[in-house]
Amino acid sequence: MSEKDIFVLGIETSCDETAAAIVKNGCEIVANVVSSQMESHQRFGGVVPEIASRHHVEQITLVLEETMKQANMDVSEIDAIAVTEGPGLVGALLIGVNAAKALAFAHRIPLVGVHHIAGHIYANQLVQEMKFPLLALVVSGGHTELIYMKEHGVFEVIGETRDDAAGEAYDKVARALQLPYPGGPHIDRLAKQGKPTIDLPRAWLEEGSYDFSFSGLKSAVINTLHNAKQRGETILPEDMAASFQTSVVEVLVGKTIQAAAHYDVKQILLAGGVAANEGLRTQLQKQVEQLPEVELIIPPLSLCTDNAAMIAAAGTVLFQQGKRATMALNANPSLLL
């Protein structure tokens, strides 16, 4: 007799995407719906928490209904509900957590709380089976971390940013170059047209450290642009974009390759919103080719940005390990991995 398939409904509302998805056996997407609020926040140059929360309230029921419709399933067929409990914007998280609790309570379905970053890592499980030990490079708007995993559900943060996350640095540099929000995709596109001719710092920090720091780089870009303007010189935005991106990618990839060799891993996973960056993806692929025993997994663009399929994938592992949340589950904006 074959084992019964496990269907997990994932809900994600940690920032400015209202998302729901159904994943089968932790690795197969049955339905995946994302409602983005990008346009609402664009004119403010960043996410406004109050606006994000209101959008989630308006969208959550519609997104859940659309997910069930796409999957052609009834709520009674769901084995567990996985929801992002943190980290994220507290008001935004509360909408997802309470929607998940209401559904779980009404239909007597087990509930699982998921860490947002664990979700980003498990997006890779939807591409290929994870093999341990592995190293995950998580790069997003609020996070830049190197995470070592010996087994499912066990995360060891071996390096993290000491100041700005890579995504934040991208947004701030984009603003200095008068590019729209979010800055990452715009800088990535612009960098392809320019040459990395401007000398910018690389923060390698102390010997053997896998930590990151992008605050000095961001300041160097702003100062270089400001000084050039005062001298009446012109810096081509595409050259600045290329120089900035080269500096960021060199450090991200360099530290990842060092750590992968040191920890003798079988796989390197790329995760998070900045994983959609073409410069980063290309450079990482090139460098990992030098490590013959290591396999590189990069999720498709649709699974790099926030989505609920990744939350359902991570939630499936927790559900199978017997982890359950109670009705006391709450949003935890500073939840640790």
Side-chain angles (χ1 to χ4, degrees), residues 261-282:
H262 179 78
Y263 284 89
D264 197 19
V265 297
K266 291 181 182 164
Q267 279 180 338
I268 293 174
L269 316 183
L270 187 55
V274 185
N277 183 287
E278 214 176 295
L280 177 59
R281 291 163 89 96
T282 309

Side-chain angles (χ1 to χ4, degrees), residues 135 137 146 158 162 203-206 208-213 249-261:
L135 184 70
L137 171 63
L146 272 172
I158 59 166
R162 296 182 185 178
W204 293 107
L205 305 172
E206 54 280 355
S209 167
Y210 298 122
D211 280 354
F212 301 98
S213 169
V249 168
E250 208 173 286
V251 174
L252 287 174
V253 174
K255 291 201 179 234
T256 304
I257 298 298
Q258 271 172 11

Side-chain angles (χ1 to χ4, degrees), residues 308-320:
M310 67 183 198
I311 300 303
T316 304
V317 170
L318 295 169
F319 175 66
Q320 287 174 313

Side-chain angles (χ1 to χ4, degrees), residues 131-193:
K131 295 177 196 147
F132 303 98
L134 63 81
L135 184 70
L137 171 63
V138 181
V139 214
S140 69
H143 300 268
T144 305
E145 289 157 339
L146 272 172
I147 295 162
Y148 175 64
M149 290 178 72
K150 271 192 263 204
E151 57 186 295
H152 277 298
V154 180
F155 308 93
E156 188 192 333
V157 179
I158 59 166
E160 59 192 333
T161 182
R162 296 182 185 178
D163 39 60
D164 286 7
E168 283 176 296
Y170 267 93
D171 286 339
K172 288 170 181 173
V173 167
R175 200 174 300 161
L177 289 170
Q178 293 173 330
L179 297 170
Y181 171 85
H186 296 286
I187 288 186
D188 194 20
R189 268 197 297 276
L190 200 57
K192 288 206 251 329
Q193 301 161 24

Side-chain angles (χ1 to χ4, degrees), residues 24-329:
K24 176 178 160 186
N25 299 329
C27 59
E28 190 185 318
I29 297 173
V30 181
N32 189 20
V33 178
V34 180
S35 168
S36 176
Q37 317 171 0
M38 191 95 72
E39 282 180 17
S40 302
H41 299 283
Q42 223 154 17
R43 62 198 166 110
F44 302 107
V47 176
V48 181
E50 174 68 16
I51 293 173
S53 305
R54 283 169 191 250
H55 274 296
H56 289 310
V57 172
E58 290 164 10
Q59 294 296 323
I60 189 72
T61 310
L62 300 169
V63 166
L64 284 163
E65 283 171 357
E66 179 60 29
T67 304
M68 299 312 295
K69 194 170 123 191
Q70 268 188 25
N72 196 16
M73 287 173 76
D74 186 71
V75 181
S76 60
E77 297 170 80
I78 300 293
D79 295 287
I81 297 172
V83 63
T84 306
E85 59 171 310
L89 303 171
V90 66
L93 288 164
L94 279 167
I95 316 298
V97 167
N98 285 307
K101 289 202 310 197
L103 270 177
F105 182 77
H107 298 275
R108 298 188 174 169
I109 301 170
L111 180 66
V112 182
V114 175
H115 192 288
H116 182 72
I117 294 302
H120 275 302
I121 292 169
Y122 274 89
N124 287 280
Q125 177 93 337
L126 299 162
V127 179
Q128 218 166 321
E129 196 187 336
M130 287 156 74
K131 295 177 196 147
F132 303 98
L134 63 81
L135 184 70
L137 171 63
V138 181
V139 214
S140 69
H143 300 268
T144 305
E145 289 157 339
L146 272 172
I147 295 162
Y148 175 64
M149 290 178 72
K150 271 192 263 204
E151 57 186 295
H152 277 298
V154 180
F155 308 93
E156 188 192 333
V157 179
I158 59 166
E160 59 192 333
T161 182
R162 296 182 185 178
D163 39 60
D164 286 7
E168 283 176 296
Y170 267 93
D171 286 339
K172 288 170 181 173
V173 167
R175 200 174 300 161
L177 289 170
Q178 293 173 330
L179 297 170
Y181 171 85
H186 296 286
I187 288 186
D188 194 20
R189 268 197 297 276
L190 200 57
K192 288 206 251 329
Q193 301 161 24
K195 294 186 174 65
T197 51
I198 299 147
D199 188 27
L200 293 171
R202 315 283 195 261
W204 293 107
L205 305 172
E206 54 280 355
E207 186 74 33
S209 167
Y210 298 122
D211 280 354
F212 301 98
S213 169
F214 296 108
S215 172
L217 169 63
K218 167 207 71 188
S219 301
V221 171
I222 293 166
N223 290 339
T224 305
L225 291 169
H226 181 70
N227 293 342
K229 192 177 173 184
Q230 289 201 315
R231 287 197 297 266
E233 294 166 5
T234 306
I235 289 181
L236 294 174
E238 55 269 36
D239 288 352
M240 182 53 91
S243 305
F244 167 73
Q245 177 146 302
T246 302
S247 178
V248 173
V249 168
E250 208 173 286
V251 174
L252 287 174
V253 174
K255 291 201 179 234
T256 304
I257 298 298
Q258 271 172 11
H262 179 78
Y263 284 89
D264 197 19
V265 297
K266 291 181 182 164
Q267 279 180 338
I268 293 174
L269 316 183
L270 187 55
V274 185
N277 183 287
E278 214 176 295
L280 177 59
R281 291 163 89 96
T282 309
Q283 210 41 44
L284 197 55
Q285 267 161 336
K286 260 189 211 159
Q287 294 297 323
V288 174
E289 280 166 14
Q290 323 276 315
L291 305 171
E293 304 296 302
V294 182
E295 181 181 25
L296 174 65
I297 306 178
I298 301 179
L301 299 183
S302 61
L303 294 175
C304 290
T305 47
D306 290 352
N307 64 87
M310 67 183 198
I311 300 303
T316 304
V317 170
L318 295 169
F319 175 66
Q320 287 174 313
Q321 289 176 342
K323 307 239 168 82
R324 303 286 182 272
T326 66
M327 284 296 133
L329 180 72

